[in-house]
Amino acid sequence: MLKRGEFAYNKSYSKEAPYGSIKRLEKYNEGALSTLYIAFTPENINSDFLKAFFDTTKWYSHIVQVSTEGARNHGLLNISPQDFFEMSITIPKSDEQNNISRIYNLMNSLLSLQQRKLELENKLKKQIAFYLYSFTLTPNFKHIEVKNKKLGDIVNISNGIMGDSQKKSGNFKLTRIETISNGKIDLSRTGYIDQVSDEKKFLEVGDILYSNINSLTHIGKNAIVKEKHLPLVHGINLFRLHITNNQITPNYLHGLLNLPKYKWWVKSHANPAVNQASINKTELSSLVIKYPDLDIQNQINNINYSFAQYWDIQYSKKESLCQLKQFLLQNLFI
């Protein structure tokens, strides 16, 4: 049983925590832990100072010396409590401990406030987008002319490339998009493609990638190609929506497809498999899209762009604070 203010060492390692992690119980008065954890109570030391120390990588060297991975413990370091508590820590005087603790707590407070600000602004961004796209489609704005078109009449829907593209003579390397995360395309995978036979598969700026095979919760996720970083293709779990109608802009269609009403339409028309739902091109083509004239579309696009730019600035501030915190932590301890 762990009490508030006590520490626990989790020996499970990952990419983010290559030698496990050491955390202090703060949110609750007590909590139960597996016996695989090593728990301890700080004595004769500033608890915040100790917490800050374990937020650095300074203690990794000791774990490297005394730990191994057991044959049965894949993902779990084999280290005994006795070996763990042999760790040596350089402890400064109380005044310096307190100063380091204040700096550490200040950085954590700034990060928490910035994270909270991002969360609230993200909610606000979604609410504004919902209002901007919805108000033109409601009966209350009869003075706004709204067009009704099937999605198949305004875009060309095409499949992605099946399997891995193999390198052949004369082929060149490219990035293949397989997934969409948080409204952005994943550019992490690379492969090779034939320049002649597959050239028509290259994505263009303004194309929308649409998740056609996914869980029922996430089917219909989409992202827009914003920059020209060709050659770029996509996998079979995504449809490519290439606009063929000059009466709708890519950015407006991208935002429109994220409205709850269109998301629910896709879910209700998808084929619910055991592990993954799917929707075919014919079904998706029948989705009726409502949109105003280009002038109103561009006004909405400009508002969304300005808000997105502001949000990116706030996100960059958070990243800068994280980097500053890591720099301070690595230089505040011997």
Side-chain angles (χ1 to χ4, degrees):
M1 184 69 73
L2 203 67
K3 303 294 183 181
R4 185 192 294 271
E6 295 179 338
F7 288 76
Y9 172 43
N10 181 357
K11 294 182 281 185
S12 298
Y13 60 87
S14 63
K15 183 179 179 180
E16 292 75 22
Y19 298 101
S21 60
I22 302 174
K23 301 297 181 182
R24 184 176 67 183
L25 180 62
E26 298 177 348
K27 291 185 178 181
Y28 306 98
N29 290 326
E30 58 185 15
L33 286 177
S34 162
T35 53
L36 293 175
Y37 288 75
I38 297 176
F40 55 95
T41 303
E43 295 180 354
N44 303 317
I45 189 172
N46 185 309
S47 183
D48 288 340
F49 171 83
L50 194 61
K51 178 187 175 185
F53 174 78
F54 287 128
D55 212 1
T56 72
T57 60
K58 300 290 185 179
W59 53 280
Y60 284 5
S61 57
H62 176 77
I63 302 300
V64 171
Q65 296 175 16
V66 300
S67 68
T68 59
E69 182 185 18
R72 291 180 167 181
N73 298 329
H74 181 67
L76 190 67
L77 293 171
N78 187 4
I79 176 172
S80 68
Q82 181 179 353
D83 287 336
F84 176 79
F85 289 120
E86 289 295 321
M87 184 186 303
S88 178
I89 300 176
T90 301
I91 303 174
K93 294 180 181 179
S94 297
D95 289 346
E96 190 169 347
Q97 290 183 47
N98 294 336
N99 289 334
I100 291 174
S101 298
R102 278 194 289 268
I103 294 172
Y104 175 74
N105 291 332
L106 175 61
M107 288 304 306
N108 280 341
S109 296
L110 288 172
L111 271 171
S112 296
L113 289 171
Q114 187 65 17
Q115 179 61 36
R116 180 59 178 159
K117 185 178 182 181
L118 280 172
E119 291 170 357
L120 292 173
E121 287 175 350
N122 194 40
K123 290 181 180 179
L124 178 61
K125 183 174 70 172
K126 290 180 179 179
Q127 288 297 318
I128 289 176
F130 176 77
Y131 173 76
L132 288 174
Y133 286 102
S134 297
F135 89 96
T136 58
L137 311 179
T138 61
N140 297 329
F141 292 85
K142 295 180 180 179
H143 62 284
I144 297 177
E145 182 182 356
V146 176
K147 300 177 181 66
N148 295 273
K149 293 278 187 180
K150 290 183 178 180
L151 186 61
D153 294 332
I154 58 177
V155 301
N156 176 45
I157 304 176
S158 57
N159 294 313
I161 293 175
M162 295 182 64
D164 293 328
S165 303
Q166 301 297 322
K167 182 178 180 181
K168 301 176 183 177
S169 58
N171 290 13
F172 57 94
K173 196 171 184 179
L174 52 69
T175 298
R176 188 175 68 255
I177 301 163
E178 300 290 348
T179 58
I180 296 170
S181 177
N182 296 324
K184 296 182 180 180
I185 56 179
D186 180 6
L187 298 174
S188 60
R189 295 194 62 177
T190 58
Y192 293 85
I193 192 170
D194 184 78
Q195 186 172 2
V196 179
S197 64
D198 290 319
E199 190 171 356
K200 61 183 179 180
K201 297 288 188 180
F202 292 162
L203 294 167
E204 300 177 12
V205 175
D207 283 345
I208 295 172
L209 294 176
Y210 194 91
S211 178
N212 64 304
I213 302 176
N214 209 320
S215 66
L216 198 57
T217 304
H218 298 292
I219 192 169
K221 291 170 67 174
N222 60 91
I224 188 170
V225 180
K226 296 181 178 179
E227 300 177 1
K228 188 174 182 180
H229 34 52
L230 304 180
L232 196 66
V233 295
H234 62 291
I236 60 171
N237 289 348
L238 300 171
F239 281 146
R240 173 194 184 184
L241 309 184
H242 180 74
I243 294 178
T244 56
N245 184 325
N246 60 7
Q247 295 302 308
I248 190 167
T249 66
N251 285 321
Y252 187 84
L253 179 60
H254 170 53
L256 202 63
L257 291 173
N258 283 310
L259 285 179
K261 62 178 294 185
Y262 293 123
K263 291 273 192 179
W264 281 112
W265 185 94
V266 172
K267 291 178 182 179
S268 63
H269 287 75
N271 176 28
V274 176
N275 297 319
Q276 288 185 320
S278 62
I279 188 165
N280 58 50
K281 288 194 293 184
T282 303
E283 197 72 51
L284 186 60
S285 296
S286 67
L287 170 62
V288 176
I289 294 293
K290 297 182 178 182
Y291 56 93
D293 60 38
L294 287 173
D295 181 56
I296 293 179
Q297 290 181 45
N298 287 326
Q299 291 181 49
I300 292 174
N301 291 339
N302 290 336
I303 294 172
N304 282 330
Y305 176 77
S306 298
F307 207 104
Q309 291 290 98
Y310 174 77
W311 195 88
D312 287 342
I313 291 172
Q314 298 305 315
Y315 186 81
S316 296
K317 286 183 178 180
K318 177 196 170 186
E319 293 296 297
S320 297
L321 284 172
C322 287
Q323 293 173 8
L324 177 59
K325 176 184 174 181
Q326 290 307 313
F327 173 80
L328 289 172
L329 285 175
Q330 293 304 115
N331 289 276
L332 286 171
F333 294 90
I334 300 175

